């Protein structure tokens, strides 16, 4: 416990803490209002099949363009939403909106990020089931992305939830692999359908030999355990080629496309009918 004793250093430290606390409180109030006013939007980043170049799925990513005071990225508002409990509503909003907007693109997969706080709620699976029913989105086209940290803290809940999601026909991916410390035992235990190699690791493979060896090993291991691999943060052709050669099934990153609004996505691929699948083959970058 730090006590203000007249030393200016301590005072500044305390007032900085206050300012930070106040900033978070204000942001929390803005998120609550923003949700009520419909200020949040979802954009979609294409995920490409390495072997064919076909568009196989999109990852839904929250955006807040209408925020008073200027747009803010999810890396800034998601942690505040998580700390305040607002993530439950924000996360379900993102899932519902994404299901509504992507449903017409027959055959296209949809990946949605799920926060630990959402996932640990015992009612989570029921909420997901309800959204699928209401939006008529096929469970087989949905993949939920989880991050590793809380799996270790709450293994039983994680196992139950993953099991029932998979029972519903939903795929489950381990997101941000390479940033934490998931053990091989955990990969097996939870039966993930896919792992996503984090961009901080995937982006190093062209210049860092150890990173390249690590990524190749992870891809081998995952494939051996019947898990597909997506690499994120692919920003160059060289990176895409190396990942493809290493056996990585799917690629995602600015080299192929930045995240797009549903309207922008609709402009490059007709979001309807099976024939659009053929058009999506040979999909090339449209950054
Ligand atoms: P993530 O799940 O790892 O998503 C990938 C992030 O990498 C996205 O950042 C995406 O725009 C960015 N990215 C994709 N390709 C490249 C590339 O080639 N280079 C670089 N430098 N970046 C690339 P974004 O949209 O800012 O999202 C950040 C994080 O916020 C996401 O990381 C995810 O953890 C979280 N997030 C976003 N939307 C949601 C949501 O609806 N729910 C939850 N719980 N979290 C979300
Ligand atoms: Mg993700
Ligand atoms: Mg994520
Ligand atoms: Mg990531």
């Amino acid at each position: 416990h730090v006590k203000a004793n007249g030393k200016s250093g301590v005072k500044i430290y305390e007032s900085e803490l206050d300012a930070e606390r106040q900033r978070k409180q204000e942001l929390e109030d803005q998120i609550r209002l923003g949700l009520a006013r419909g200020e949040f939007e979802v954009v979609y980043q294409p995920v490409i099949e390495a072997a064919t170049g076909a568009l196989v799925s999109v990852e839904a990513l929250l955006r807040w363009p209408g925020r008073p005071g200027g747009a803010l990225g999810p890396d800034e508002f998601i942690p505040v939403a998580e700390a305040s409990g607002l993530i439950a509503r924000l996360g379900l909003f993102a899932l519902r909106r994404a299901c509504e907007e992507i449903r017409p693109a027959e055959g296209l997969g949809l990946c949605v990020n799920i926060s630990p706080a959402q996932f640990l709620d015992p009612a989570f699976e029921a909420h997901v089931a309800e959204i699928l029913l209401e939006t008529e989105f096929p469970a087989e086209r949905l993949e939920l992305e989880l991050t590793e940290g809380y799996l270790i803290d709450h293994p039983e809940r994680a196992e139950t939830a993953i099991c029932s999601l998979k029972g519903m026909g939903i795929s489950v991916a381990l997101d941000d692999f390479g940033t934490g410390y998931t053990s091989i035992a955990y990969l097996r235990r939870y039966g993930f359908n896919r792992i996503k190699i984090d961009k901080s690791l995937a982006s190093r493979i062209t210049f860092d030999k150890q990173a390249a060896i690590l990524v190749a090993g992870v891809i081998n291991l995952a494939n051996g355990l019947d898990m597909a691999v997506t690499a994120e943060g692919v920003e160059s052709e060289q990176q895409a080629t190396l990942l493809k050669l290493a056996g990585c099934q799917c690629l995602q990153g600015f080299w192929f496309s930045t995240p797009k609004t549903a309207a922008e996505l609709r402009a490059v691929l007709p979001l309807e009918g099976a024939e659009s699948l053929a058009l999506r083959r040979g999909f090339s970058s449209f950054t």
Side-chain angles (χ1 to χ4, degrees):
H1 179 70
V2 185
K3 203 174 156 193
N5 60 3
K7 280 240 170 157
S8 58
V10 173
K11 268 193 197 146
I12 287 168
Y13 178 66
E14 290 207 328
S15 66
E16 270 176 8
L17 272 184
D18 282 344
E20 178 62 11
R21 218 172 284 134
Q22 201 185 331
R23 196 191 66 86
K24 286 207 172 121
Q25 185 58 56
E26 275 167 15
L27 195 49
E28 184 186 324
D29 295 341
Q30 284 186 345
I31 295 172
R32 191 173 288 110
L33 259 176
L35 266 168
R37 290 176 178 159
E39 288 172 358
F40 289 93
E41 286 174 18
V42 179
V43 291
Y44 305 93
Q45 187 176 32
V47 178
I48 306 304
E49 184 177 56
T52 60
L55 173 63
V56 285
S57 61
V58 291
E59 177 175 8
L61 296 160
L62 266 169
R63 290 293 179 266
W64 193 6
R67 171 180 172 261
L72 208 61
D75 280 332
E76 288 174 271
F77 65 76
I78 298 269
V80 174
E82 282 173 342
S84 61
L86 286 167
I87 191 64
R89 281 165 57 204
L90 191 56
L92 290 177
F93 160 79
L95 178 63
R96 182 184 299 275
R97 171 65 64 85
C99 286
E100 284 166 0
E101 292 191 318
I102 298 304
R103 191 193 55 78
E106 268 177 41
L108 186 65
L110 171 65
C111 311
V112 181
N113 291 284
I114 302 297
S115 279
Q118 276 181 281
F119 187 70
L120 292 177
D121 176 0
F124 176 68
E125 298 94 299
H127 291 315
V128 174
E130 194 181 302
I131 288 174
L132 289 181
L133 203 69
E134 286 172 11
T135 61
E136 296 177 36
F137 195 90
E140 292 68 29
R141 284 173 56 195
L142 182 63
E143 185 164 274
L144 299 181
E145 300 188 359
L146 314 174
T147 42
E148 48 198 325
Y150 56 101
L151 301 177
I152 292 156
D153 296 332
H154 306 273
E156 281 83 21
R157 166 62 196 154
E159 211 163 18
T160 308
I162 289 172
C163 197
S164 57
L165 290 169
K166 287 178 74 175
M168 288 160 62
I170 297 168
S171 298
V172 182
L174 179 63
D175 202 2
D176 302 335
F177 188 87
T179 56
Y181 31 77
T182 308
S183 74
I184 294 164
Y186 274 93
L187 286 181
R188 278 187 63 100
R189 169 169 188 177
Y190 295 114
F192 289 104
N193 301 94
R194 175 185 305 276
I195 65 173
K196 294 191 75 169
I197 300 180
D198 194 68
K199 56 179 175 292
S200 62
L201 183 59
S203 64
R204 302 187 61 80
I205 62 164
T206 50
F207 58 87
D208 178 343
K209 193 167 177 230
Q210 293 198 330
I213 290 170
L214 191 63
V215 166
V218 164
I219 293 169
N220 257 325
L221 177 76
N223 290 347
L225 293 173
D226 280 330
M227 290 182 286
V229 180
T230 297
E232 52 174 45
V234 180
E235 292 183 353
S236 71
E237 185 166 28
Q238 192 194 4
Q239 220 183 320
T241 305
L242 283 179
L243 287 160
K244 184 180 163 180
L245 286 175
C248 187
Q249 281 82 14
C250 295
L251 307 171
Q252 180 182 350
F254 297 166
W255 174 254
F256 296 100
S257 174
T258 55
K260 301 290 171 197
T261 63
E264 289 168 330
L265 211 56
R266 215 171 280 124
V268 292
L269 51 104
L271 288 187
E272 70 214 301
E275 75 276 17
S276 62
L277 260 178
L279 278 172
R280 267 181 251 128
R281 285 194 102 61
F283 170 93
S284 60
S285 56
F286 56 90
T287 310

